[in-house]
Amino acid sequence: MIDMIEKEDPVISEEEAAQYDRQIRLWGLDAQKRLRGSRVLLVGLGGLGAEVAKNLILAGVKGLTLLDHEQVHASEESCRAQFLVPVTARGQNRARASLERAQNLNPMVEVHADSDRVEDKPDDFFLQFDAVCLTGCSRDLMVRVDQLCSQRNIKVFCGDVYGYYGYMFCNLGQEHNYVEEKPKLVKPTGNSNDGPEAKKAKVDPNETTMVKKTSSFCTLKEALEVDWTSEKAKAGLKRTPVDYFLLHVLLKFRTDKGRDPDPQSFAEDSQLLRQIRDDVLEALAVSGDLLSDDFTSYCFSEMSPVCAVVGGVLGQEVVKALSQRDPPHRNFFFFDGRKGNGVVDFFGPK
Amino acid sequence: IMVQLVGSLRKELADSLSTCKVLVVGAGGIGCELLKNLVLTGFKNIEVIDLDTIDVSNLNRQFLFQKKHVGKSKAQVAKESALQFCPTANITAYHDSIMNPDYNVEFFRKFVLVMNALDNRAARNHVNRMCLAADIPLIESGTAGYLGQVTVIKKGMTECYECQPKPTQKTFPGCTIRNTPSEPIHCIVWAKYLFNQLFGEEDADQEVSPDTCGVTWRKPEETAARATASEKDGDIKRVSTKDWARSTGYDPVKLFNKLFKDDIMYLLTMDKLWKKRKAPTPLDWHQLENSDSYCVSGLKDQQVLGVWGHCQLFQQSVETLSSQLQEKGEGAELVWDKDDPPAMDFVTAASNLRMHIFSMNMKSRFDVKSMAGNIIPAIATTNAVIAGLIVLEGLKILSGELESCRTIFLNKCPNLRKKLLVPCILDPPSANCYVCTSKPEVTVKLNVHKTMVLSLQDRILKERFGMVAPDVQIEDGKGTILISSEEGETEANNSKFLSDFGIRNGSRLQVDDFLQDYTLLVNVLHTEELERDVEFEVVGEAPDKAPPPQTNQEEVNSITNGNKDSAQPSTSSKAPAEDDDIMIVDSDEEEGASSSSATAATSGTKRKHSDAETGEASTKRPRTDQLSAAAAPTDDDDDDIIALD
């Protein structure tokens, strides 16, 4: 669907041109038109979800569906959660409570709220979207949705924030086409209309050319089920971000407990995290030393600035994929808020 | 010991967040995101200051603002929006310039942390000095397109913002602008100068008529007495461009014929210029009449008009602007503004006509606006990432973990080590810094017989050395006061030369800016051998030239460090190496406060807004082009140097 150049050929109005001026000057009118024709599903309106919602709505997609079955927690301090939910919304559904503020960010985008459980959605629910973004979802659900969507050329994104740590994963399909803008080398011709000094060949900063490229992605299942027992894999461990293994631990915690580590149960959850770490690393046949004990202190709750960083990177990746412009990050982005490190790395079959 | 967490944070840190006071300077792209992050992280006492009002082009990223807020104060609306999702936060908003003397060292000392969210260097320099004076940690940041950067400045521990010299604005030689343009940007600069000559503040360094070359630097008083290039009756009357235009009643066809026909024909007589260059072709209004038509499909601004289309646009905009001028009355001046349609139309038309004359492909209004308005493209996500990083650095500072603070660069693509976000260790203060060392000192090369006191104040002390209100004493044993920051006190000195006060080679000037708590000792080095149109040189720094062959690193930096004349979307996919030089980004979309004219609003004035409640009737900051005395490229063409921003 997305690969059709003139999908719906949406026209950019003068009003949109005025509002999107500063981004059109960055990624061009064509990219803005493609965004303007794209529909996105966003699952999970926690801290990270709210950031992604804001970024996509401001970017000017055609439609964004906010899907979240959770309620606004009564126990959450009103100023810790996210900025789309009004303080009066305790007990309401999180997606519905976020709708008004989300819509006000940009009236030109169609924003919908859906309070269903994502697990209950039939397969064809997902097919109406050009991209799907999953936050706060279990590993099994993410694997299932990823499989289903990428087969139909729907771009898949996953992301979460745990305290100071966060990640983003994407699967843009086996053949994701995009363009990259490169400066044009002006050949010297006597008759060139590019200025009186056209006799010299030079890189004209005002002239660029679009180069077509392709990138290939694996599934989330393949990405998570990398085999570390081979000699080659073991040798590569040194250059592997430990965040990848941390992700496994946190996903397992979520599967086992049905929730993320909770500051209210700091002691028990810390202990459980350490236990899961031992189990996971052993199961993956890698050294227990990869993740030292202190990670447990820093992966509780969604930290707002970390949501902002991960949500910014994730949001921009969605924009890039929908607009088919610029090389996508392939296929994980890991952020460590303690160190300020942001790394892109590929996990999956070579 | 049980670790107590409040959310993600340890209890001690969470508690200090709720009591400490922080200052956010700027409520725009970074500022909105930052305010949101601070509030959600648990900061309770926040003060935010911004002199600007909301524009529709802000709405793609400054998410605390909606369409209904256009025209209102950014700081005020940002505060109100933030209170919506955290009513218990204590936010104070100032619709004001941070360079206002009300915000003195004592004001800054109220805060445990200052975070910049600025878009211009003058304000950054100023806040840098205030935070040094108050000894408060400062988090500095910037973004442009996909790129961004955050760093921490702590007196005595790290470099200050001014430790590393920042590249100054790109400049073009005067002859290139006036005689031999070869790129669209030269034509656009010319058109902006033309606007000022016809409708705005006339400036001796913004001449548009053909230059005979070999002209020496003129005094500002002679501005009013400029000759126009072609007087048909051969009688050289010394009239200003504006007076001449007025005498024709601002007749667009007469203006057109002078600028695009007569002056071009004059240039053609200077045949030395055209031996190796393609000669320009003059235009004739009547021959062009109705020669092209254009159909408008799609966005109007992105069309490239034909020559006649630009003639018509020239005519319409001249008519509109001249009647605006007339309405304002005697002695009125217009200020160029990219968001003022007739002003933008005028530059679009005039620059394109000139491009056509000089055999360049014409440009759409959209593209001309980018270059003329120094627009830096901007998106929400880059600002979101940077603002997140600012808060994370802030938390380290408040936890007393300054050693773990870093400069962090956001790249467009991962570097060779797979890093998209690259943290780098902070550098210690530079021993040669003329701001943060204990006894700052510089040496300035100039001609004491030709440098006026006013120039010393405006171009050297304010513009180059970032002072807001300098006081200057001559170390002559008598403590002669050369410049007083008190208005009117030393006005009589302004048009005198430094030599009139006995200043000569080796003289020393003590310069104080009491607001910034900053004293600079200036050593004067007299010279008669400066490049033409270069007023001074700071010794110990490489003179500014045309950009040297650029490495990948510089390719990335040149867009983000204020080379706004080549303002273009950041398309570099090359990532800098990990141990980068600081690349603080200026998105000087709103022009910097410093300016060549004596009326430079270096303290900034509030932007106009129609908020009845506050009853403010302030005016927009004048957007004059900056001029700095950059060194000329050393080539033997008789080129004047004219700097622009």
Side-chain angles (χ1 to χ4, degrees):
Chain A
M1 245 193 322
I2 280 197
D3 285 324
M4 275 162 48
I5 301 292
E6 301 294 58
K7 182 165 106 73
E8 297 181 36
D9 193 32
V11 171
I12 302 281
S13 66
E14 296 284 349
E15 184 194 0
E16 287 168 299
Q19 179 165 318
Y20 300 140
D21 184 84
R22 298 300 187 263
Q23 61 201 40
I24 291 174
R25 288 178 194 278
L26 185 60
W27 54 54
L29 202 52
D30 274 345
Q32 191 64 47
K33 283 183 182 171
R34 283 167 201 245
L35 284 171
R36 185 68 179 83
S38 301
R39 295 182 191 278
V40 183
L41 171 67
L42 173 62
V43 178
L45 265 301
L48 177 59
E51 289 285 339
V52 176
K54 157 183 62 79
N55 293 334
L56 294 181
I57 292 169
L58 291 175
V61 294
K62 180 158 183 63
L64 181 67
T65 297
L66 312 174
L67 177 60
D68 196 333
H69 68 277
E70 298 268 9
Q71 286 188 339
V72 177
H73 291 175
S75 67
E76 270 167 37
E77 262 204 35
S78 59
C79 300
R80 293 290 148 95
Q82 44 107 316
F83 55 91
L84 294 177
V85 168
V87 292
T88 49
R90 300 250 162 95
Q92 287 179 30
N93 169 265
R94 217 154 56 164
R96 295 200 191 289
S98 303
L99 181 59
E100 186 181 344
R101 295 246 182 97
Q103 183 66 83
N104 285 340
L105 289 173
N106 186 356
M108 301 195 276
V109 176
E110 296 164 17
V111 187
H112 307 282
D114 187 328
S115 54
D116 289 346
R117 296 188 131 263
V118 57
E119 290 87 343
D120 298 340
K121 288 296 192 189
D123 285 4
D124 60 11
F125 168 78
F126 299 93
L127 305 185
Q128 59 183 297
F129 301 104
D130 300 301
V132 165
C133 182
L134 308 171
T135 72
C137 295
S138 72
R139 175 176 171 152
D140 290 342
L141 175 70
M142 290 197 284
V143 165
R144 178 195 143 221
V145 175
D146 171 66
Q147 179 130 38
L148 157 69
C149 289
S150 56
Q151 277 170 359
R152 309 294 183 95
N153 201 18
I154 299 169
K155 312 298 179 185
V156 177
F157 299 86
C158 306
D160 283 298
V161 167
Y162 309 93
Y164 281 84
Y165 303 108
Y167 81 94
M168 175 218 89
F169 164 83
C170 71
N171 177 359
L172 306 186
Q174 297 200 321
E175 199 181 299
H176 173 73
N177 299 316
Y178 64 95
V179 293
E180 207 176 338
E181 193 177 0
K182 300 257 192 216
K184 202 188 240 181
L185 197 66
V186 178
K187 290 208 186 84
T189 65
N191 296 329
S192 167
N193 268 357
D194 285 328
E197 285 180 322
K199 303 200 176 158
K200 318 182 238 189
K202 57 189 177 201
V203 175
D204 182 348
N206 299 310
E207 298 293 322
T208 56
T209 186
M210 295 300 192
V211 179
K212 286 191 181 154
K213 297 204 168 164
T214 306
S215 191
S216 174
F217 291 78
C218 68
T219 64
L220 178 60
K221 187 168 158 64
E222 288 169 318
L224 291 176
E225 290 178 4
V226 170
D227 176 17
W228 296 100
T229 56
S230 71
E231 280 310 309
K232 196 172 175 192
K234 282 197 197 295
L237 262 180
K238 263 175 261 163
R239 279 170 285 115
T240 300
V242 294
D243 308 59
Y244 175 77
F245 300 103
L246 177 59
L247 175 60
H248 276 82
V249 172
L250 291 163
L251 286 178
K252 180 126 200 343
F253 185 104
R254 189 181 271 175
T255 301
D256 291 350
K257 292 291 270 185
R259 61 169 173 84
D260 284 342
D262 184 353
Q264 306 277 342
S265 358
F266 181 75
E268 309 128 41
D269 285 358
S270 296
Q271 193 173 20
L272 181 57
L273 280 168
R274 283 190 288 272
Q275 183 59 53
I276 293 179
R277 175 211 46 202
D278 294 339
D279 296 342
V280 161
L281 295 183
E282 193 187 319
L284 291 174
V286 296
S287 159
D289 296 336
L290 275 176
L291 280 175
S292 60
D293 275 4
D294 71 353
F295 81 89
T296 61
S297 311
Y298 302 111
C299 57
F300 284 77
S301 198
E302 276 183 303
M303 266 199 84
S304 163
V306 180
C307 292
V309 173
V310 178
V313 174
L314 174 46
Q316 195 52 38
E317 288 309 291
V318 177
V319 167
K320 275 157 82 176
L322 293 173
S323 61
Q324 291 183 266
R325 186 187 161 110
D326 291 332
H329 298 329
R330 189 173 171 269
N331 54 357
F332 277 93
F333 166 73
F334 293 110
F335 179 60
D336 178 338
R338 304 264 309 147
K339 296 191 191 143
N341 239 348
V343 179
V344 172
D345 208 349
F346 179 82
F347 291 89
K350 297 288 180 219
Chain B
I1 293 176
M2 289 271 281
V3 175
Q4 268 191 291
L5 285 189
V6 182
S8 319
L9 307 175
R10 304 199 169 203
K11 189 171 189 313
E12 311 82 52
L13 179 56
D15 286 346
S16 72
L17 293 190
S18 53
T19 52
C20 74
K21 238 187 177 146
V22 297
L23 175 66
V24 176
V25 188
I30 295 178
C32 284
E33 292 282 341
L34 183 52
L35 204 55
K36 173 252 301 167
N37 293 339
L38 289 170
V39 161
L40 292 181
T41 303
F43 286 80
K44 282 273 179 266
N45 303 297
I46 304 168
E47 303 202 1
V48 58
I49 180 168
D50 194 311
L51 52 62
D52 213 344
T53 55
I54 298 162
D55 178 70
V56 66
S57 65
N58 301 149
L59 302 178
N60 79 319
R61 64 201 183 278
Q62 298 175 22
F63 78 99
L64 295 177
F65 312 139
Q66 292 170 42
K67 197 130 191 217
K68 64 187 184 187
H69 296 130
V70 171
K72 296 195 171 180
S73 148
K74 287 191 177 184
Q76 188 59 37
V77 176
K79 164 188 168 169
E80 284 160 14
S81 299
L83 287 176
Q84 295 278 307
F85 51 87
C86 189
T88 54
N90 175 21
I91 304 177
T92 307
Y94 301 93
H95 178 213
D96 207 346
S97 163
I98 193 62
M99 293 163 79
N100 181 324
D102 287 349
Y103 310 109
N104 54 14
V105 177
E106 205 182 302
F107 170 82
F108 277 81
R109 285 214 181 99
K110 290 192 306 178
F111 307 102
V112 305
L113 182 60
V114 175
M115 291 160 279
N116 272 348
L118 288 164
D119 65 358
N120 71 88
R121 192 171 295 168
R124 285 184 164 119
N125 288 344
H126 182 71
V127 175
N128 178 51
R129 294 170 189 200
M130 299 308 289
C131 289
L132 289 170
D135 197 6
I136 307 287
L138 169 64
I139 304 181
E140 180 52 80
S141 63
T143 59
Y146 300 113
L147 308 177
Q149 173 186 1
V150 178
T151 193
V152 172
I153 295 170
K154 175 78 171 78
K155 178 176 178 171
M157 192 186 120
T158 72
E159 278 190 343
C160 82
Y161 181 68
E162 297 174 89
C163 272
Q164 298 283 353
K166 304 280 189 300
T168 53
Q169 307 305 342
K170 182 173 170 134
T171 64
F172 300 110
C175 267
T176 304
I177 301 297
R178 297 165 67 178
N179 293 1
T180 53
S182 58
E183 287 175 36
I185 186 65
H186 304 150
C187 303
I188 291 169
V189 170
W190 179 88
K192 287 178 74 178
Y193 286 179
L194 180 64
F195 179 94
N196 283 342
Q197 295 292 332
L198 291 174
F199 307 108
E201 188 182 339
E202 290 173 273
D203 189 323
D205 294 298
Q206 296 188 352
E207 260 304 314
V208 291
S209 39
D211 186 10
T212 49
C213 297
V215 170
T216 54
W217 181 64
R218 290 183 211 276
K219 302 180 197 183
E221 289 108 322
E222 288 182 308
T223 303
R226 284 304 212 181
T228 56
S230 58
E231 288 293 333
K232 282 198 180 137
D233 59 8
D235 179 9
I236 315 288
K237 277 185 264 188
R238 302 221 136 225
V239 291
S240 72
T241 313
K242 194 185 274 188
D243 286 340
W244 175 83
R246 207 179 287 145
S247 71
T248 71
Y250 281 95
D251 182 326
V253 179
K254 288 199 175 138
L255 285 176
F256 179 96
N257 281 329
K258 173 194 159 10
L259 297 164
F260 303 119
K261 187 170 95 169
D262 300 340
D263 284 358
I264 304 301
M265 283 164 60
Y266 181 79
L267 279 178
L268 287 170
T269 65
M270 298 161 67
D271 43 339
K272 194 173 72 160
L273 294 178
W274 314 114
K275 282 203 156 55
K276 289 185 190 167
R277 296 184 179 95
K278 184 157 186 208
T281 46
L283 300 177
D284 185 291
W285 180 273
H286 296 291
Q287 282 184 357
L288 288 168
E289 238 163 327
N290 303 313
S291 59
D292 60 53
S293 57
Y294 56 95
C295 57
V296 180
S297 70
L299 291 173
K300 210 156 56 77
D301 264 18
Q302 303 230 359
Q303 306 287 315
V304 181
L305 301 179
V307 184
W308 177 241
H310 284 121
C311 292
Q312 290 178 298
L313 192 62
F314 181 78
Q315 178 174 37
Q316 288 156 24
S317 55
V318 167
E319 282 164 5
T320 307
L321 292 167
S322 56
S323 61
Q324 271 182 19
L325 197 58
Q326 196 159 32
E327 261 165 56
K328 285 184 106 181
E330 193 66 40
E333 280 166 4
L334 302 181
V335 176
W336 190 78
D337 179 353
K338 70 181 186 304
D339 295 316
D340 175 40
M344 193 57 235
D345 284 341
F346 178 83
V347 168
T348 303
S351 63
N352 269 303
L353 289 167
R354 193 162 171 87
M355 282 185 237
H356 185 70
I357 286 169
F358 285 89
S359 313
M360 291 177 237
N361 289 327
M362 295 191 286
K363 296 251 167 220
S364 67
R365 194 180 192 275
F366 185 81
D367 286 343
V368 173
K369 189 172 183 182
S370 263
M371 291 185 267
N374 300 317
I375 297 178
I376 305 277
I379 52 178
T381 53
T382 308
N383 286 324
V385 173
I386 293 307
L389 295 175
I390 293 171
V391 172
L392 288 169
E393 291 303 302
L395 291 175
K396 292 180 199 171
I397 293 170
L398 291 173
S399 302
E401 291 169 21
L402 272 158
E403 356 52 66
S404 62
C405 289
R406 297 285 182 267
T407 295
I408 305 181
F409 296 96
L410 169 64
N411 292 330
K412 189 179 183 195
C413 295
N415 68 10
L416 295 169
R417 295 194 218 179
K418 306 183 195 172
K419 290 193 181 186
L420 189 66
L421 289 168
V422 189
C424 302
I425 308 265
L426 298 169
D427 290 320
S430 163
N432 299 327
C433 181
Y434 62 82
V435 174
C436 72
T437 49
S438 54
K439 289 197 188 308
E441 196 171 326
V442 280
T443 301
V444 179
K445 227 198 261 187
L446 46 74
N447 186 326
V448 297
H449 303 298
K450 294 194 172 172
T451 304
M452 289 196 302
V453 173
L454 186 65
S455 286
L456 171 69
Q457 177 187 272
D458 288 350
R459 299 196 189 199
I460 301 180
L461 299 178
K462 286 186 179 179
E463 208 175 290
R464 176 63 185 81
F465 292 122
M467 298 194 207
V468 171
D471 285 276
V472 183
Q473 248 183 326
I474 308 174
E475 287 197 355
D476 55 0
K478 297 178 267 173
T480 306
I481 294 178
L482 190 63
I483 298 174
S484 164
S485 57
E486 284 293 325
E487 205 171 312
E489 261 185 35
T490 50
E491 210 169 309
N493 295 349
N494 282 352
S495 49
K496 299 202 180 134
F497 295 107
L498 297 184
S499 50
D500 295 339
F501 295 88
I503 296 171
R504 56 200 162 97
N505 192 44
S507 291
R508 284 150 72 88
L509 307 173
Q510 180 185 314
V511 187
D512 293 287
D513 187 314
F514 291 109
L515 178 63
Q516 297 173 346
D517 195 14
Y518 174 48
T519 299
L520 177 66
L521 195 63
V522 176
N523 294 297
V524 176
L525 208 60
H526 170 72
T527 178
E528 317 248 321
E529 283 165 20
L530 284 170
E531 308 280 354
R532 199 151 30 89
D533 260 14
V534 173
E535 294 178 60
F536 68 93
E537 256 176 54
V538 179
V539 172
E541 276 177 14
D544 300 298
K545 299 182 198 291
Q550 293 184 329
T551 63
N552 295 348
Q553 167 63 23
E554 286 168 50
E555 213 173 291
V556 169
N557 289 354
S558 69
I559 299 151
T560 57
N561 272 334
N563 270 355
K564 296 178 296 299
D565 305 295
S566 52
Q568 36 186 289
S570 170
T571 56
S572 172
S573 57
K574 295 176 177 130
E578 213 156 315
D579 34 342
D580 280 337
D581 288 335
I582 292 227
M583 155 194 121
I584 299 278
V585 172
D586 281 315
S587 64
D588 263 345
E589 185 179 327
E590 313 308 337
E591 275 159 41
S594 58
S595 152
S596 61
S597 70
T599 56
T602 49
S603 57
T605 51
K606 293 177 200 178
R607 291 183 188 273
K608 201 190 317 198
H609 65 111
S610 51
D611 189 333
E613 275 185 295
T614 63
E616 295 288 353
S618 33
T619 53
K620 266 194 161 167
R621 267 193 302 190
R623 296 171 186 251
T624 52
D625 286 341
Q626 277 178 334
L627 295 178
S628 65
T634 49
D635 91 49
D636 38 44
D637 261 10
D638 294 328
D639 282 345
D640 295 336
I641 305 306
I642 293 184
L644 36 57
D645 55 345

